[in-house]
Amino acid sequence: MHFPFTEEDVGWHWLGGSLSFEVENGPSPGRSPPDPQASPGLVLLPGGPPGQRRESFLYRSDSDYDASPKSMSRNSSIASEAHAEDLIVTPFAQVLASLRSVRSNFSILTNVPTPTATKRSPVGSQPPLCKAMLSEETSQQLARETLEELDWCLDQLETLQTHRAVSEMASNKFKRMLNRELTHLSEMSRSGNQVSEYISSTFLDKQHEVEIPAPGPKEREKKRRQPPPMGQISGVKKLPPGSSPGGSSVPRFGVKTDREDLLGKELDSLNKWGLNIFRVSEYSNNRSLSCIMYTIFQERELVKTFKIPVETLLTYTLTLEDHYHADVAYHNSLHAADVMQSTHVLLATPALDAVFTDLEILAALFAAAIHDVDHPGVSNQFLINTNSELALMYNDESVLENHHLAVGFKLLQEENCDIFQNLSKRQRQTLRKMVIDMVLATDMSKHMSLLADLKTMVETKKVTSSGVLLLDNYTDRIQVLRNMVHCADLSNPTKPLALYRQWTERIMEEFFRQGDRERERGMEISPMCDKHTASVEKSQVGFIDYIVHPLWETWADLVHPDAQEILETLEENRDWYHSRVPPHSPSPPPAAASPPPQHRFQFDLTLEEDEEGQEPGVYPPPSACNTPRLVHQPYVTPPEQPPGRPPEEEEEEEEEQNGLGGGYAVGEW
């Protein structure tokens, strides 16, 4: 189901605005709003006409939320044929759209004139209608359609649970739709089943029930070593003497290098999407994060605005980079530098000009810089399954994300590392709150909720007559910033193909290392971590189709038309990987592979509406008792193929017909 709107109804542009909740920010030079009386907010601009670009699975029909079929035809008849239609897919925005139609029809049927100055008055220049202009038959038909529409709205509102946010309606809908896609994918092939398992376990906040194997001799020996006290943040170390340049010898880009000219040429693209961070690392002596963080802080004049001592900034950047593990293939300082530079570019998008204060910008960049510090190269679930100290400390909830935050802030307490020393107490508190919110949002199990929150916020304002997305409170502003850092964290598939392929190789290497550790421990190997069975190309197509594309599609709606080139690159990269999907799934070698699963899985989303229905001894997920969970059901073996038709050919043909799905996260766990 979708609701169309005319270009007049949903025109977008940013209204300039300074933030009101943080009075200590002061005015931001170059960021003052064009109209001092304008509220901080966004007027929604139309997307491209349908059919110009591939839409994500979110725009497919979902029977549980299908509105009256009259809605679409009625709105379409009002809309101008010359303008594109925007599709509304979030349930709460659909209810609002229907109620606005009911209100409009009521005005026509009762001959009650619509006030011209109310916020619910139509935005576009639509021709006025009155009952006298309608025949008796048309009037009766319109009355019936209006009643049907009102009944549908009542049905939706009557099923609302008052203790849940309206965005959770969208989150549950999107999870249900994704599970339907994954069920179909898992039935297509063995590798499709593995990819489906990976997406469901990583992006749907699913808690595994696992048997933790007894520790072997090596693990027992490690446990005998004195662990840090539970209240102490592990992983913090001192910066080696002489590492931090100081005094008058501050390098141009914050790092010592004999290739400064080459580094400078690369950094000419600092403000562009697709900076080659691998070359930056090469020319900066593997100090990409220190270089990027120092240069961006100088470029944005944050050093001057917040009175950050240059030597302190240099010391902190080097100390932070040293706390990323160089032996981790993907989640290292190179990835942090890439996410920080991507966040820097997203903050500078024209649609967001004059929207965020310097303090918010400082918080977003700092969050990007620390968001994976001290990452061990394994997933949250691996730490939980192995009873790690971190999992125990953080009660299995966003384990790594909490640890990254703790280390990032703890390093500020090291000698000459407090880059926020000249912020006021209130500024420090506000910055810390924002950074915590943004880094916790990089937990990929929160992905669907983040996406639903943003899409609900955008579409709800599309439906309203004003079409203005006001960002005049902390909740709305941090929601945009959280999604911005999340987009930057999942931006690898949107970069030039040569860079994307390098990131793909790195994340697969990290996955396979975890799989090897799981194999050595006798654990079940996590999806996409078995080097003998993983299908890299197929997983990339699915990762884009089900995770990256819906997210960036929504972000592009928010900042339209600024992200159109990014979407185009994403589609090109998706097509490139799709063209290289092997003809059939790889088969494991007879001796080295892990034992094959006994059955495939069907992914069914069950919304646990009643907490009292819990079985004895079965606990709900830590986040909430009402969190949607996945129920695995045995895969039903399909009928035997006719003789003379190899199963591989059947599988290949079916994949060609149905497309590909699934994927792993080139960007985060």
Side-chain angles (χ1 to χ4, degrees):
M1 181 208 67
H2 69 275
F3 288 90
F5 293 88
T6 65
E7 184 174 318
E8 290 85 359
D9 289 334
V10 293
W12 291 65
H13 66 268
W14 274 105
L15 296 178
S18 58
L19 185 60
S20 58
F21 75 86
E22 177 51 71
V23 295
E24 296 193 38
N25 284 335
S28 300
R31 290 187 171 82
S32 58
D35 178 5
Q37 303 302 319
S39 300
L42 174 71
V43 180
L44 312 175
L45 278 181
Q52 273 192 352
R53 179 171 290 115
R54 182 188 297 118
E55 291 178 338
S56 72
F57 73 93
L58 300 181
Y59 289 90
R60 296 174 190 166
S61 173
D62 182 63
S63 58
D64 290 349
Y65 282 95
D66 276 348
S68 163
K70 305 298 181 184
S71 297
M72 185 169 62
S73 60
R74 181 167 61 249
N75 282 319
S76 296
S77 65
I78 295 175
S80 167
E81 295 181 1
H83 299 297
E85 296 177 347
D86 273 6
L87 309 184
I88 302 298
V89 299
T90 52
F92 186 70
Q94 291 171 346
V95 171
L96 289 180
S98 287
L99 289 175
R100 287 174 61 82
S101 296
V102 169
R103 181 182 185 275
S104 174
N105 293 346
F106 177 84
S107 176
I108 295 171
L109 293 168
T110 59
N111 284 326
V112 175
T114 303
T116 57
T118 68
K119 66 177 183 178
R120 294 185 181 87
S121 302
V123 178
S125 55
Q126 299 173 354
L129 292 176
C130 64
K131 190 173 182 181
M133 300 171 61
L134 304 177
S135 67
E136 182 65 25
E137 181 181 354
T138 303
S139 178
Q140 288 294 322
Q141 181 182 354
L142 182 61
R144 287 193 298 269
E145 291 176 357
T146 302
L147 186 58
E148 290 175 6
E149 197 68 27
L150 186 59
D151 286 341
W152 179 84
C153 291
L154 290 172
D155 287 342
Q156 300 304 309
L157 295 175
E158 286 168 0
T159 58
L160 277 179
Q161 294 187 345
T162 56
H163 66 284
R164 295 185 182 180
V166 293
S167 61
E168 196 165 344
M169 297 167 63
S171 177
N172 290 338
K173 174 185 175 181
F174 293 170
K175 289 176 183 178
R176 181 174 56 253
M177 295 176 71
L178 178 57
N179 273 276
R180 185 173 59 193
E181 299 287 329
L182 296 182
T183 298
H184 172 67
L185 175 63
S186 67
E187 294 171 348
M188 289 169 53
S189 65
R190 177 178 55 189
S191 59
N193 183 66
Q194 186 186 55
V195 168
S196 298
E197 282 259 23
Y198 173 75
I199 289 185
S200 69
S201 61
T202 304
F203 296 96
L204 289 179
D205 203 10
K206 171 189 168 186
Q207 302 296 321
H208 291 288
E209 295 178 5
V210 297
E211 293 185 5
I212 301 174
K218 290 183 180 179
E219 283 72 28
R220 282 195 292 268
E221 177 61 29
K222 287 180 183 177
K223 286 185 178 292
R224 290 195 197 102
R225 300 171 191 167
Q226 186 65 29
M230 288 298 290
Q232 180 178 326
I233 300 171
S234 62
V236 177
K237 55 190 177 183
K238 300 288 184 181
L239 185 68
S243 299
S244 177
S248 59
S249 61
V250 177
R252 178 183 170 193
F253 302 113
V255 294
K256 296 176 181 178
T257 175
D258 55 1
R259 309 173 80 177
E260 195 170 89
D261 290 342
L262 292 173
L263 180 59
K265 289 181 180 178
E266 290 300 326
L267 291 177
D268 286 343
S269 301
L270 182 70
N271 301 328
K272 299 177 182 177
W273 196 254
L275 169 74
N276 192 329
I277 200 68
F278 299 101
R279 287 208 192 114
V280 171
S281 179
E282 178 186 352
Y283 298 150
S284 63
N285 292 326
N286 297 319
R287 287 290 189 180
S288 57
L289 178 58
S290 300
C291 172
I292 290 294
M293 188 171 182
Y294 177 83
T295 307
I296 289 177
F297 273 45
Q298 293 285 9
E299 170 95 3
R300 288 186 168 273
E301 298 188 346
L302 297 175
V303 173
K304 178 182 177 181
T305 302
F306 295 103
K307 301 180 175 61
I308 303 173
V310 172
E311 187 175 346
T312 302
L313 176 61
L314 292 171
T315 304
Y316 182 80
T317 59
L318 294 170
T319 303
L320 177 66
E321 185 149 28
D322 281 346
H323 283 77
Y324 278 90
H325 299 186
D327 59 344
V328 170
Y330 182 87
H331 291 100
N332 49 40
S333 62
L334 196 62
H335 167 65
D338 182 61
V339 173
M340 185 179 188
Q341 189 268 339
S342 299
T343 302
H344 165 68
V345 176
L346 293 178
L347 282 165
T349 191
L352 297 177
D353 184 43
V355 170
F356 294 113
T357 64
D358 286 330
L359 187 68
E360 290 172 307
I361 290 170
L362 177 67
L365 294 171
F366 183 73
I370 71 169
H371 86 280
D372 272 331
V373 64
D374 201 36
H375 197 296
V378 294
S379 65
N380 277 334
Q381 198 60 50
F382 180 89
L383 296 175
I384 294 169
N385 293 351
T386 55
N387 261 347
S388 73
E389 291 290 320
L390 287 178
L392 293 173
M393 178 179 289
Y394 296 114
N395 301 313
D396 297 351
E397 181 65 23
S398 299
V399 177
L400 285 171
E401 291 71 29
N402 276 297
H403 181 61
H404 303 324
L405 282 163
V407 173
F409 279 107
K410 179 66 177 176
L411 292 178
L412 293 171
Q413 300 176 7
E414 296 297 298
E415 183 180 357
N416 198 25
C417 281
D418 187 4
I419 60 176
F420 304 135
Q421 58 188 264
N422 290 318
L423 271 63
S424 69
K425 181 178 179 180
R426 185 181 178 191
Q427 284 178 320
R428 289 181 72 108
Q429 290 173 338
T430 303
L431 179 137
R432 176 170 166 80
K433 178 176 175 56
M434 289 190 290
V435 171
I436 290 172
D437 283 342
M438 283 184 270
V439 174
L440 289 180
T442 64
D443 180 351
M444 289 299 145
S445 69
K446 315 300 182 191
H447 166 79
M448 294 304 290
S449 296
L450 267 177
L451 173 61
D453 287 346
L454 183 65
K455 204 161 190 69
T456 297
M457 182 174 75
V458 170
E459 291 193 347
T460 298
K461 297 307 178 183
K462 280 187 180 183
V463 173
T464 61
S465 57
S466 63
V468 177
L469 180 59
L470 289 177
L471 298 176
D472 57 356
N473 60 80
Y474 177 82
T475 301
D476 289 344
R477 299 178 75 84
I478 197 63
Q479 187 166 312
V480 174
L481 290 171
R482 289 166 70 199
N483 276 278
M484 179 189 297
V485 175
H486 184 47
C487 284
D489 202 18
L490 287 178
S491 65
N492 295 154
T494 70
K495 301 293 177 65
L497 181 61
L499 302 180
Y500 177 25
R501 291 179 64 188
Q502 291 186 67
W503 290 121
T504 301
E505 292 172 4
R506 286 171 172 265
I507 193 65
M508 291 309 300
E509 181 181 348
E510 188 169 309
F511 280 5
F512 293 160
R513 288 180 186 176
Q514 174 174 320
D516 290 343
R517 293 174 66 175
E518 290 169 331
R519 186 181 292 107
E520 290 171 3
R521 290 169 170 259
M523 300 168 59
E524 180 182 351
I525 299 178
S526 299
M528 294 311 304
C529 291
D530 191 337
K531 60 188 176 186
H532 302 302
T533 62
S535 173
V536 178
E537 294 80 9
K538 181 183 292 188
S539 66
Q540 281 310 291
V541 174
F543 175 50
I544 292 173
D545 283 349
Y546 296 138
I547 304 301
V548 182
H549 186 193
L551 176 65
W552 276 98
E553 180 182 62
T554 304
W555 180 262
D557 277 348
L558 183 73
V559 300
H560 188 83
D562 299 340
Q564 297 311 299
E565 289 185 10
I566 292 178
L567 285 180
E568 289 171 6
T569 302
L570 178 63
E571 289 194 9
E572 291 169 1
N573 289 342
R574 189 262 185 202
D575 292 341
W576 188 89
Y577 270 102
H578 182 273
S579 69
R580 282 157 178 78
V581 173
H584 55 79
S585 304
S587 298
S594 57
Q598 298 302 314
H599 54 74
R600 296 183 182 177
F601 294 99
Q602 180 176 349
F603 301 87
D604 290 338
L605 185 68
T606 301
L607 301 182
E608 300 186 51
E609 306 290 353
D610 189 0
E611 299 177 17
E612 298 177 2
Q614 291 283 338
E615 296 178 13
V618 178
Y619 298 94
S623 55
C625 292
N626 293 309
T627 301
R629 65 182 177 86
L630 292 168
V631 179
H632 285 164
Q633 296 180 352
Y635 170 77
V636 179
T637 305
E640 263 186 270
Q641 298 298 327
R645 186 92 184 272
E648 293 81 9
E649 293 181 11
E650 177 70 22
E651 179 180 309
E652 178 182 355
E653 180 180 332
E654 187 175 1
E655 290 178 1
E656 289 291 334
Q657 293 173 352
N658 295 312
L660 298 164
Y664 63 83
V666 180
E668 189 49 273
W669 291 90

